Amino acid sequence: MRVLVTGGTGFIGQALCPLLLQQGHQVVLLTRQLKPRLPEGVKEFVNQLQELEKDSIEAVINLAGAGIADKRWSEERKKRLVNSRVETTRQLVKWMITQNSPPQVLVSASAVGYYGEQGDRIITEDTPPEPGFTHDLCAAWEAEALRAEEQGIRVCLVRTGVVLDQGGGSLAKMLPAFKLGLGGPLGSGQHWFPWIHREDMARIYAWLVENKQTGVFNASAPHPVRNRDFTQALGRALKRPAFMPMPAPLLKIMFGEMAELLLVSDRMQPQRLEEAGFEFRYPKLDQALERIFN
């Protein structure tokens, strides 16, 4: 298939695009960068949808969005987070449905933030959300993607957990402190941490393109852990102590409203993926960390 990937120069896209190429797909990136750092093997990109030959795209993967944890959440930053997801997806779907032969499938990113604070409750795709900024953001983002269904396009929504690998993402922010022996649990450390290895994340997107699935999919490993257990496992993988806690009040002073990303509890399960037959390569945290660091 000829697959258009938005946001393909990002952390997930850098792993996903080479995988799509290995599977025999043609990959085209949509990027606003004039000289983008293309994922390995990708040679074709456009800066605007109008540059694409009409009816040339068979599948779309939508990863576009400003980094949610890159900056403190001012009101201006929150607008940027919303617009980079909601407006981009709106324009993408508008383009898709104007094609004479629209793409067959849209696989569009969302996030675990859809659910909000859930405590110890096990989260499936049917779990009712708690209100808050991240829920409102994800709900609006998903609603724009679902508009493609009105034209008979198959739509999959991918509610992503914390993606782990070297070279970016959350680990890039954690590793300096942990390598100095200054890592440790956040707040009480009792909150649930829905994680996934980047390789499995890329495989989920590629799998959803090829399999006739629709609807919402939780994209996190089947064995979430509490934050305390995650930090201990990361310390073991790095052969460093991990006992320096970061109190919740200090996190809120440092990060403001964005601290909720670090303290929210989401015991997310990939129920629909597993029921549909997707198999994780790294279902347990120690397996994933061993792959990352060895």
Side-chain angles (χ1 to χ4, degrees):
M1 300 176 83
R2 187 167 167 82
V3 183
L4 175 68
V5 181
T6 73
T9 60
F11 187 55
I12 295 173
Q14 291 286 342
L16 171 61
C17 292
L19 175 61
L20 291 170
L21 291 168
Q22 290 170 17
Q23 294 178 344
H25 298 293
Q26 299 177 53
V27 176
V28 184
L29 259 60
L30 174 65
T31 175
R32 292 179 179 173
Q33 301 174 38
L34 295 179
K35 294 182 179 180
R37 177 174 167 262
L38 297 176
E40 182 181 353
V42 176
K43 294 180 171 49
E44 189 174 356
F45 71 94
V46 295
N47 298 125
Q48 298 182 36
L49 290 166
Q50 290 72 23
E51 295 175 21
L52 289 164
E53 182 182 349
K54 201 168 183 67
D55 304 326
S56 65
I57 299 298
E58 298 168 272
V60 177
I61 297 176
N62 180 29
L63 303 175
I68 197 161
D70 286 356
K71 296 181 180 179
R72 194 181 179 96
W73 289 356
S74 64
E75 289 305 310
E76 182 179 349
R77 180 61 181 174
K78 287 202 272 188
K79 289 179 182 177
R80 167 68 176 146
L81 293 173
V82 172
N83 289 338
S84 67
R85 289 162 173 77
V86 177
E87 184 59 32
T88 297
T89 304
R90 180 181 296 130
Q91 294 302 318
L92 181 64
V93 171
K94 182 179 178 180
W95 171 84
M96 291 173 68
I97 64 180
T98 61
Q99 303 298 294
N100 295 325
S101 298
Q104 301 165 24
V105 57
L106 168 63
V107 184
S108 193
S110 183
V112 63
Y114 176 90
Y115 297 106
E117 170 61 47
Q118 295 287 340
D120 287 337
R121 184 183 298 116
I122 294 175
I123 299 173
T124 71
E125 289 83 357
D126 296 322
T127 298
E130 291 294 321
F133 170 67
T134 57
H135 166 70
D136 294 344
L137 169 61
C138 292
W141 191 8
E142 293 181 7
E144 293 301 332
L146 287 171
R147 292 180 187 274
E149 290 186 329
E150 299 170 7
Q151 301 298 319
I153 297 169
R154 180 168 63 89
V155 176
C156 297
L157 303 172
V158 185
R159 292 178 183 160
T160 308
V162 180
V163 182
L164 302 179
D165 205 353
Q166 296 260 29
S170 295
L171 274 184
K173 296 179 172 65
M174 299 178 197
L175 285 179
F178 274 83
K179 287 181 176 179
L180 291 172
L182 300 176
L186 302 177
S188 69
Q190 294 298 309
H191 51 290
W192 289 92
F193 184 81
W195 63 274
I196 184 169
H197 191 289
R198 181 168 60 157
E199 187 177 328
D200 277 332
M201 190 71 250
R203 291 177 58 243
I204 287 169
Y205 276 102
W207 187 84
L208 288 172
V209 164
E210 294 190 335
N211 286 267
K212 303 300 182 183
Q213 304 292 326
T214 60
V216 175
F217 295 87
N218 288 344
S220 61
H223 297 283
V225 296
R226 295 186 188 273
N227 175 262
R228 174 195 60 204
D229 298 323
F230 172 78
T231 57
Q232 290 175 352
L234 182 54
R236 286 195 304 272
L238 294 170
K239 298 179 174 58
R240 294 288 189 276
F243 58 85
M244 298 286 288
M246 181 71 75
L250 181 57
L251 287 169
K252 291 174 182 177
I253 291 171
M254 292 172 62
F255 299 107
E257 188 180 353
M258 193 179 75
E260 76 173 70
L261 292 178
L262 307 174
L263 297 170
V264 69
S265 184
D266 287 309
R267 193 178 180 181
M268 189 162 73
Q269 293 288 335
Q271 179 173 298
R272 292 200 65 221
L273 280 170
E274 292 194 304
E275 288 176 351
F278 181 83
E279 295 183 2
F280 287 81
R281 287 185 181 164
Y282 307 102
K284 295 186 177 180
L285 182 59
D286 285 339
Q287 294 173 313
L289 293 177
E290 182 178 1
R291 169 66 174 171
I292 291 168
F293 294 113
N294 294 306

